[in-house]
């Protein structure tokens, strides 16, 4: 067995087997990333769509995503690229940065790695982020925060902003997302300690993570980390395996 050390799942893989993320496969004694430079979604978005409301407000950011995710959230709002191998276009890191520079005239400030989980795209994100920093562009990560400390700390010097999902209590992570809460909290703490701008998002799903106790615990933890951290509550819509009605506006 060979173990992958990218995320806390620490998948132990036989030859030819891929990890839970579906994009990192063992061949012999090496791991190969199957999604390097494979872009499934590319758009110039308002920065507020990430959502980042206190980071260059009113600006735009070129946003890129791939396929794959190390979670399996039954409610995933982007499941067609996170849980399936969607059609993709090969865009080398230098080309992605050149595209971002081309959009500067219309207000683009840099690159956001988003749509699916960018931490399982780690090598590509790192390569693009280094080049973007050299060109004076900002780097934004929109993530579930399920990443081991070593790869996180290698990436942090090149990050300017992060929006991290804070999905709910421990039971919710294990039962609904195939994950754990503690590594996600540690991720947020590391981002904050590095001086990177951090905002958090909680998707409210009726009957799953929206009890008063759930929300009080979440808010208290964020306030204990730093009461100035922006916390966004977003509305769930039925997607993927979840058929519950949308979050009521009230």
């Amino acid at each position: 067995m060979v173990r992958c050390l990218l995320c806390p799942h620490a998948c132990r893989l036989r030859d030819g087997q891929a990890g839970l993320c579906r994009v990192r496969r063992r061949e012999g004694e090496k791991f190969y990333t199957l999604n390097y430079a494979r872009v499934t979604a590319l758009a110039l978005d308002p920065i507020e769509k990430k959502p980042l409301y206190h980071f260059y407000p009113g600006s735009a950011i070129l946003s890129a995503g791939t396929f794959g995710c190390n979670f399996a959230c039954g409610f995933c709002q982007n499941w067609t690229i996170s849980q399936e191998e969607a059609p993709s276009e090969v865009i080398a890191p230098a080309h992605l940065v050149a595209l971002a520079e081309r959009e500067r005239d219309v207000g683009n400030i840099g690159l956001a790695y988003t749509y699916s989980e960018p931490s399982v795209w780690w090598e590509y994100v790192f390569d693009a982020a280094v080049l973007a920093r050299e060109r004076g562009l900002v780097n934004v990560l929109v993530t579930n925060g399920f990443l081991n400390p070593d790869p996180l700390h290698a990436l942090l010097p090149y990050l300017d902003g992060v929006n991290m999902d804070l999905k709910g209590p421990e039971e919710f992570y294990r039962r609904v997302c195939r994950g754990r809460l503690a590594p996600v909290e540690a991720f947020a703490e590391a981002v904050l300690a590095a001086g990177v701008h951090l905002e958090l998002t909680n998707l409210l799903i009726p009957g799953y993570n929206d009890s008063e106790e759930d929300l009080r615990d979440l808010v208290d933890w964020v306030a204990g980390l730093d009461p100035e951290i922006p916390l966004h509550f977003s509305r769930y819509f039925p997607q993927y395996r979840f058929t519950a009605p949308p979050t009521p506006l009230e």
Side-chain angles (χ1 to χ4, degrees):
M1 289 286 190
V2 173
R3 177 167 287 175
C4 177
L5 301 178
L6 181 67
C7 89
H9 285 312
C11 294
R12 298 181 66 180
L13 304 177
R14 298 182 179 88
D15 193 12
Q17 187 179 21
L20 292 171
C21 63
R22 299 178 298 106
V23 296
R24 305 180 72 80
R25 184 173 65 208
R26 176 187 170 187
E27 292 183 9
E29 296 305 305
K30 295 182 179 180
F31 276 102
Y32 289 86
T33 175
L34 308 180
N35 59 355
Y36 187 89
R38 294 181 61 182
V39 176
T40 59
L42 183 68
L44 188 66
D45 287 335
I47 193 69
E48 289 81 5
K49 189 179 177 182
K50 298 307 98 189
L52 289 172
Y53 274 74
H54 303 271
F55 181 82
Y56 297 93
S59 62
I61 193 159
L62 186 63
S63 303
T66 187
F67 58 90
C69 185
N70 50 7
F71 279 2
C73 304
F75 55 84
C76 182
Q77 306 290 285
N78 282 334
W79 65 273
T80 55
I81 61 173
S82 72
Q83 304 300 319
E84 295 186 352
E85 188 171 336
S88 61
E89 177 184 357
V90 174
I91 300 179
H95 186 197
L96 183 67
V97 172
L99 292 175
E101 287 193 289
R102 195 178 303 168
E103 300 295 336
R104 272 177 155 155
D105 290 344
V106 291
N108 181 43
I109 60 171
L111 286 167
Y113 312 95
T114 178
Y115 301 134
S116 65
E117 177 47 49
S119 67
V120 301
W121 209 18
W122 190 92
E123 290 83 0
Y124 181 77
V125 170
F126 181 85
D127 290 348
V130 170
L131 294 175
R133 174 63 61 83
E134 291 174 354
R135 304 302 298 173
L137 297 164
V138 304
N139 291 297
V140 166
L141 201 69
V142 182
T143 178
N144 62 23
F146 204 67
L147 183 65
N148 275 336
D150 284 351
L152 172 59
H153 287 290
L155 186 59
L156 277 174
Y158 304 99
L159 295 181
D160 301 282
V162 171
N163 184 286
M164 190 195 81
D165 289 333
L166 196 56
K167 297 177 184 289
E170 174 68 19
E171 181 187 2
F172 182 86
Y173 270 91
R174 290 186 179 273
R175 180 166 56 96
V176 179
C177 301
R178 194 185 62 190
R180 304 194 308 278
L181 175 58
V184 175
E185 292 180 333
F187 180 101
E189 292 167 357
V191 169
L192 198 65
V196 176
H197 179 81
L198 175 66
E199 301 190 24
L200 302 173
T201 298
N202 178 245
L203 184 75
L204 285 173
I205 307 175
Y208 285 88
N209 65 349
D210 66 336
S211 72
E212 183 173 347
E213 180 183 2
D214 290 342
L215 296 178
R216 188 176 300 279
D217 288 346
L218 183 148
V219 168
D220 286 349
W221 183 82
V222 175
L225 190 61
D226 185 341
E228 296 299 318
I229 296 175
L231 173 59
H232 304 272
F233 292 100
S234 57
R235 192 182 184 202
Y236 146 89
F237 290 90
Q239 288 284 351
Y240 196 32
R241 295 172 178 162
F242 270 39
T243 57
T247 314
L249 290 177
E250 61 270 21

